[in-house]
Amino acid sequence: MLTVAAEAVDFTAPITLRAPVPPDVVRSLALAVPGWPIRTGAGGIEVRTDGTGYRVTGPGVDTDADDAWEAAHWVLAAAVGQAAEAAPGRFVLNAGAALIDDRAMVFAGESHAGKSSVALHLAAHGVPMLGDDRLILDASATPPLAMAIGLARKVRVPLPSDFAPAARRLAEATRAGHGGGADVLAWDPAIDRPAGSVAPIADVLLLQRDPALRGARLDDPGPAEAVATLLALCGRHAGGAAELLD
């Protein structure tokens, strides 16, 4: 059964930004994390105008951003990373997850591997989602858990010509904005599970895009290659990699 973990990250706590905050960054954040409160206050993540772009400084982040959407991405990286570091055994994973029989089918991969495309096709058939791009993996639980962050789903445009008609219609009907080369899709409570929701992991698929292939191919990489790939896809975490290896 899908639950909200007793020790889940408190995603009701606002993302705190140090004033003044560029309005374009605030708008981008509201689009990227619908329903996650944002406030200004001392000690928050700083976003300041720097030339034609922005500079983002916060926990684990000190970087330049070319535009407001990229700045929002780094604000989220700081906030989500800080949440993952709140408990040992938690990792930020570049992955999405679909809920099938109340268990998480996780699909992990690098940028452009096709995570959002997979999520869009599943959502078009009414499959509930924990996310399409980033999750928090709780490797300290038995079995390991996938935890939703509450990011809006997105899809890169233009859509590929081989997209299924149902997926194409959903993308066009739910477009809420655009940023970072992708259309951001409107939050759908019937599909999108709120931040902090968790489900036990049933399986993990590792996505890789190969332009030489036509259609999909399913390979078994073996435990060693699978673990090495997952480690490369893990972001900030508390503790060491031993929990994931276990």
Side-chain angles (χ1 to χ4, degrees):
M1 180 179 295
L2 181 68
T3 62
V4 176
E7 298 179 357
V9 177
D10 183 10
F11 285 101
T12 61
I15 297 175
T16 303
L17 301 172
R18 194 179 310 169
V21 187
D24 286 352
V25 175
V26 174
R27 286 193 290 269
S28 294
L29 277 170
L31 186 63
V33 280
W36 196 350
I38 301 169
R39 71 178 182 187
T40 58
I45 301 167
E46 181 181 25
V47 184
R48 65 180 186 274
T49 303
D50 187 11
T52 58
Y54 303 93
R55 183 77 183 178
V56 182
T57 305
V61 171
D62 187 10
T63 189
D64 292 322
D66 291 334
D67 55 34
W69 186 257
E70 186 181 358
H73 164 83
W74 287 114
V75 169
L76 288 172
V80 172
Q82 193 173 25
E85 292 171 351
R90 286 185 181 152
F91 300 78
V92 179
L93 184 64
N94 291 328
L99 288 172
I100 300 175
D101 295 329
D102 289 326
R103 295 174 66 85
M105 176 64 72
V106 175
F107 41 93
E110 298 177 349
S111 180
H112 300 277
K115 300 185 297 295
S116 295
S117 297
V118 169
L120 178 66
H121 280 77
L122 291 171
H125 290 280
V127 178
M129 308 299 301
L130 286 178
D132 75 339
D133 185 62
R134 275 177 285 176
L135 303 168
I136 288 181
L137 170 66
D138 189 348
S140 66
T142 305
L145 300 173
M147 181 184 300
I149 294 176
L151 305 181
R153 287 179 291 109
K154 62 189 184 311
V155 63
R156 295 191 181 276
V157 289
L159 299 179
S161 59
D162 60 352
F163 260 37
R168 186 177 294 277
R169 288 193 298 270
L170 180 63
E172 293 170 352
T174 59
R175 183 183 186 275
H178 185 84
D183 280 351
V184 182
L185 306 183
W187 187 268
D188 182 354
I191 297 294
D192 301 303
R193 293 300 182 258
S197 299
V198 299
I201 296 174
D203 286 296
V204 178
L205 298 176
L206 302 176
L207 301 181
Q208 292 182 325
R209 187 180 294 277
D210 186 346
L213 288 178
R214 295 181 62 86
R217 187 180 72 193
L218 188 62
D219 294 328
D220 184 356
E225 184 180 345
V227 168
T229 303
L230 281 174
L231 284 172
L233 296 173
C234 285
R236 291 167 58 183
H237 57 86
E243 294 90 344
L244 182 61
L245 290 171
D246 289 341

